[in-house]
Amino acid sequence: MKLMVVESPNKIKKLESILGGDWKVMASVGHIRDLPRNDLGIEQPGFTLNYEFIPPATFQGRTFPGGEERVARIRKEMRNADMVYLATDPDREGEAIAWHLKEALGLDESEYLRVTFGSITSSAIRKSLDEARKIDYDLVRAQEARRALDRMYGYLVSPLLSDMLGMSLSAGRVQSPAVRLVVDQERRIKAFKKTNHFGAVVLFDGEKWQAEWNTKPFTTEASPY
């Protein structure tokens, strides 16, 4: 038996119909581990991230299983599997979830394969299996860097911001300010206009010394020469 782990349980039925009877498909239901809720969770100076299983959640009187319980269910089925296919989403979040699953399930490098697909069709699934690979740790580290920045802003900057303004505020995620910086820089690039300017270098005393006249500080768009 081959075991495939995806993020969404809504994908299970269709995937099993495509893969056939020799396959079992299960869902991680998104992230299974994260930084602790009540602690920074980042050791300095090495910036090591300390993860823990996501706890169970209760919503409208219904309790949803936490990460440890979800991993236990997958591990139970894994005992009968010849190979585990980690088929979480094809982005850095999905890559990180695949890595967390690998670590939590105790999978050796020879016991898993990483597959990604953008649609649930027979051709897309078969293509992903043909192109199966190992976890891309560059993508995992990219997600970890984003998560660490989120946490440091939330835990280190938010309290300072609240104290300065006298109200409870959150510094929030870093994506919006980062996008603003990129947009502002792109606008400056597009607004830039090339200007030609000329200077002069004069040599004196048989080229023993020279003087340079740099005109660039005196040029403007209206008078570039």
Side-chain angles (χ1 to χ4, degrees):
M1 187 263 286
K2 297 175 183 177
L3 175 63
M4 178 177 286
V5 183
V6 295
E7 289 187 43
S8 173
N10 296 329
K11 298 177 180 179
I12 292 177
K13 186 175 181 180
K14 188 171 183 180
L15 280 169
E16 287 188 335
S17 68
I18 293 174
L19 292 168
D22 193 39
W23 287 79
K24 173 73 175 179
V25 182
M26 301 188 72
S28 71
V29 196
H31 284 273
I32 57 166
R33 300 194 305 186
D34 196 6
L35 297 175
R37 289 188 174 184
N38 300 316
D39 187 32
L40 181 62
I42 303 173
E43 291 184 11
Q44 296 186 34
F47 293 95
T48 301
L49 275 59
N50 296 322
Y51 295 106
E52 61 181 28
F53 284 112
I54 293 175
T58 301
F59 180 71
Q60 295 182 347
R62 182 182 175 186
T63 300
F64 296 89
E68 190 170 14
E69 183 179 345
R70 285 178 267 143
V71 167
R73 291 176 182 175
I74 298 171
R75 185 182 292 112
K76 184 177 180 180
E77 294 293 335
M78 188 182 75
R79 297 169 186 166
N80 302 317
D82 301 319
M83 179 62 67
V84 178
Y85 290 79
L86 302 176
T88 48
D89 290 352
D91 54 20
R92 64 184 180 188
E93 291 287 326
E95 204 73 19
I97 293 173
W99 173 72
H100 282 292
L101 284 167
K102 173 185 176 296
E103 294 293 301
L105 293 169
L107 291 169
D108 293 333
E109 288 296 312
S110 61
E111 296 176 322
Y112 85 94
L113 286 170
R114 173 80 170 109
V115 294
T116 59
F117 39 84
S119 61
I120 305 179
T121 62
S122 180
S123 59
I125 302 304
R126 298 302 172 189
K127 185 174 185 294
S128 72
L129 294 175
D130 290 340
E131 298 175 352
R133 56 176 174 81
K134 295 299 179 181
I135 289 172
D136 185 338
Y137 285 96
D138 286 340
L139 285 178
V140 174
R141 285 187 283 268
Q143 190 275 339
E144 287 192 299
R146 185 202 64 81
R147 187 68 187 94
L149 285 172
D150 280 353
R151 176 53 61 94
M152 286 189 289
Y153 267 75
Y155 269 72
L156 303 180
V157 179
S158 294
L160 295 175
L161 185 64
S162 298
D163 289 343
M164 290 173 61
L165 299 180
M167 62 181 74
S168 180
L169 295 171
S170 173
R173 289 190 166 192
V174 300
Q175 287 98 321
S176 296
V179 171
R180 177 58 185 269
L181 290 172
V182 172
V183 170
D184 286 348
Q185 181 64 16
E186 181 64 19
R187 287 172 177 169
R188 284 192 290 268
I189 292 171
K190 289 184 176 180
F192 176 78
K193 293 183 179 179
K194 181 179 178 181
T195 60
N196 296 317
H197 59 91
F198 304 91
V201 177
V202 182
L203 303 176
F204 297 93
D205 197 12
E207 300 185 4
K208 290 182 180 180
W209 64 281
Q210 66 181 37
E212 181 178 357
W213 179 33
N214 181 14
T215 61
K216 185 175 181 180
F218 307 101
T219 60
T220 65
E221 292 184 8
S223 178
Y225 303 105

